[in-house]
Amino acid sequence: MKQRTLVVVSAGLSQPSSTRLLADQLSAAAVTAAVERGIELQVRTIELRDLAHDITNHLLTGFPPIALKDALDAVEGADAVIAVSPIFTASYSGLFKSFFDVVDKDALVDKPVLIAATAGTARHSLALEHALRPLFGYLRAVVVPTSVFAASDDWGADSSDGFLQTRIVRGATELATEIDRREPATVTDPFALTVDFEDLLK
Amino acid sequence: MQFGIFSVSDITTDPTTGHTPSEAERIKNIVTIAKHAEEVGLDVFALGEHHNEPFFSSSPTTTLAYIAAQTEKLLLSTATTLITTNDPVKIAEDYAMLQHLSGGRVDLTMGRGNTGPVYPWFGKDIRAGIPLAIENYALLHKLWREHVVDWQGKFRTPLQSFTSTPRPLDDVPPFVWHGSIRSPEIAEQAAFYGDGFFANHIFWPASHTQRMVQLYRQRFAHYGHGDPDQAIVGLGGQVFMARNSQDAVKEFRPYFDNAPVYGHGPSLEDFTRETPLTVGSPQQVIDRTLGFREYVGDYQRQLFLMDHAGLPVKTVLEQLDLLGAEVVPVLRKEFAALKPAHVPDAPTHASLVAKKLATENKEEANA
């Protein structure tokens, strides 16, 4: 089995949160879809709630505290990312955006990303397409075609085998396919010299 | 090893009294602080350069020359000289002049400046920060070493048959350090020329400073200036002291919480853990500072940030008293005992003149 890493970023605020619930279902489906392709996914889930103060401190001081640095390194080094935000006031939450504001602009280049969101009502569902997808497009991530939205309705008793599960499996499968067709992620050393000094002098 | 202080020249309201010093008051105080640095036995006073409020130090050579006139041994330096937005011709002229007036008591630390709006005021673009630093310094280096310069570059008017005056004192240019928080190109630049590398150190975790210094040392050796441990390294540091460490924490906290740059962000405790900031007794400062050597190796210059964040001048002078009386004498002794003989001290005008004479004598003997 090939070994790959998956980092799940969940921006839910309550504990437990429906955002984390969706994140867990997506990562479980991704693990299953990966196994079918001969890939063992090592999953790490990052709860942004735990990093909220660190994220603000990074914005203010320009450097990440240790726990946040560890999370940022994990995202950069991951073979794929699942990013899940609650929808607040018609878009991703501020905490979700602030986290991706401090992710290096090149950290997600060509990285498969599955985007997902939760909200109280289905009327928020297109926020995935008009907010999250362009955000990751800017970061030059490879966002899989299926995005997964879960409103309160989707968690109802009548819906457990309904459309949400279908979308989760479809999104996770697309993600696993993208992981399968790539070489393992490599991390650029920020201290490495990329040009010869003599060339800089020219 | 050299010890000193560096000032960023911020004019900040004292959060405990609400008092904001006037420019006149702050400028007068910086002279008092620099003179006191010499009185308590420190070696270096370095002054920042800014071209925006709330900073006063737009004209460092004026201030440093005034301080030079009132001190005898103090080495005057910069923290930093903006190599991007200043004309390198003017830097060559101004600092050679200061070198003459101060009797060779001057060196410089080059920095790029990270304040975006400043660049266009000087006709420059922050996105060209690295190329500006590289080209401008290459010209400055040449102006101090070649009498008549013909030169053409991308960022300034070409020079034909230009001589920068006054010539460096004794034909020995001031020693230069290059400061950078996160750009490997600048560590590389310092290594290429065999200049010093100064790690600001105060906003970033130790692991980061360690990597930058390591890169500089390796490249210093690569360019044939000596072994990696013979490269010339300077570090920033930030301390606040009281006899009893709890008193230091209590007194410094409001200044920390409201300070420019990191104020209203991490807690004092977090920042102390993750950066070199030390708030406590003189002994704690000694222990922490000696620890820097463990991750950067034997180094040549340690500067402390002392006057900032609205601290009253009286407090700053008391801090200097503690630094000079209780901390630096111990650090001098301990660092000297640890340093192997082949690791050089930071170059001074006297050592550079001696080196030049030795080279010339050798050439004559060979001729």
Side-chain angles (χ1 to χ4, degrees), chain B residues 293-312:
Chain B
R293 181 184 164 278
E294 283 160 27
Y295 56 85
V296 300
D298 289 291
Y299 63 109
Q300 283 76 10
R301 173 176 287 186
Q302 174 65 55
L303 301 183
F304 294 101
L305 178 64
M306 295 231 119
D307 77 308
H308 67 125
L311 285 163

Side-chain angles (χ1 to χ4, degrees), chain B residues 266-289:
Chain B
S267 68
L268 177 60
E269 285 71 16
D270 286 346
F271 207 75
T272 304
R273 192 179 57 246
E274 299 204 2
T275 78
L277 171 67
T278 308
V279 182
S281 65
Q283 187 57 48
Q284 281 174 291
V285 171
I286 290 168
D287 294 343
R288 192 88 188 272
T289 309

Side-chain angles (χ1 to χ4, degrees), chain B residues 112-188:
Chain B
R112 296 204 303 284
N114 61 1
T115 312
V118 173
Y119 284 73
W121 295 333
F122 293 87
K124 301 294 191 291
D125 184 334
I126 194 169
R127 290 168 297 181
I130 296 269
L132 278 164
I134 303 244
E135 178 178 307
N136 286 350
Y137 183 67
L139 174 55
L140 174 62
H141 193 265
K142 201 176 171 75
L143 290 169
W144 275 341
R145 286 164 178 82
E146 295 174 25
H147 199 100
V148 181
V149 171
D150 290 310
W151 179 90
Q152 188 164 6
K154 294 188 195 79
F155 297 109
R156 90 178 295 290
T157 313
L159 297 170
Q160 288 180 53
S161 303
F162 176 73
T163 297
S164 172
T165 58
R167 300 305 301 149
L169 179 65
D170 305 319
D171 250 335
V172 169
F175 185 69
V176 169
W177 307 73
H178 299 265
S180 180
I181 293 177
R182 68 184 100 192
S183 304
E185 295 92 336
I186 300 301
E188 171 78 357

